[in-house]
Each structure stands twice: as structure tokens, then as C-alpha cells.
């Protein structure tokens, strides 16, 4: 198996399946990890009658964003993290 699908149900009324984060070891040479896991998530969603599958990733993770968009995901919610660097003006 490529990975394990762990998910949470966000809402009992809307039946949203949420995959909080997919990750692999930085030194891993595996590519295409998201594909099989997304396919499994879609299968689970269909079997359990979920209305949607949500997946979370960092906005800076361009390769993950591309993979999810290629798989049919569309932006749903976006969070923005701001920072200030000490002694920077």
C-alpha cells in the first residue's frame, strides 16, 4: 500500500469527508502519492454517501496544489497566515 487514508467527518448534516493533510518523508523518492489516496477517498465518499471530499494543504505547496486541482478539487476555503520578522522595518 502507498499510504493509509485517515479522514474525519466535519459535519453530520452536510456529510463532508475531510482529509486534513497528506505527507511523505522529505527524502522519499515517491511521486504520485496523492493519486491513489484521493481515489480511495472518492471511493469511501461514494460508499458512505458523503456530499464532498475536502483536502487541506499549505498554500506554498505548489506540487500538492497542482495534484489536487488536476484531480478535480477546487478552492473552497483559504486561510492566510501573516508574520512579522523581528527588527525588520
Amino acid at each position: 500500500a502507498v499510504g493509509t487514508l485517515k479522514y474525519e467527518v466535519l459535519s453530520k448534516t452536510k456529510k463532508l469527508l475531510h482529509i486534513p493533510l497528506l505527507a511523505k518523508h522529505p527524502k522519499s523518492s515517491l511521486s504520485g502519492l496523492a493519486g491513489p489516496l484521493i481515489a480511495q477517498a472518492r471511493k469511501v465518499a461514494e460508499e458512505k454517501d458523503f456530499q464532498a471530499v475536502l483536502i487541506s494543504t499549505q498554500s506554498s505547496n505548489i506540487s500538492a496544489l497542482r495534484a489536487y486541482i488536476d484531480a478535480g478539487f477546487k478552492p473552497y476555503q483559504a486561510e492566510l497566515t501573516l508574520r512579522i520578522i523581528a527588527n525588520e522595518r
Side-chain angles (χ1 to χ4, degrees):
V2 175
T4 302
L5 175 66
K6 294 184 179 183
Y7 62 89
E8 61 184 336
V9 179
L10 288 181
S11 168
K12 291 183 181 180
T13 57
K14 290 186 180 179
K15 291 200 76 171
L16 302 174
L17 186 148
H18 179 232
I19 304 168
L21 188 62
L22 295 179
K24 68 180 186 82
H25 192 279
K27 293 182 179 179
S28 172
S29 62
L30 291 174
S31 62
L33 177 66
L37 292 174
I38 290 169
Q40 182 65 23
R42 286 182 167 174
K43 181 179 176 186
V44 168
E46 186 174 314
E47 289 172 355
K48 298 187 181 281
D49 198 32
F50 285 98
Q51 294 173 326
V53 177
L54 308 177
I55 193 162
S56 298
T57 191
Q58 297 85 5
S59 61
S60 61
N61 191 341
I62 303 303
S63 61
L65 291 169
R66 284 186 185 141
Y68 302 146
I69 288 169
D70 289 348
F73 285 84
K74 293 177 175 47
Y76 176 67
Q77 291 177 331
E79 294 181 17
L80 178 64
T81 302
L82 304 174
R83 73 176 181 164
I84 188 168
I85 300 174
N87 301 320
E88 185 177 280
R89 294 183 191 249

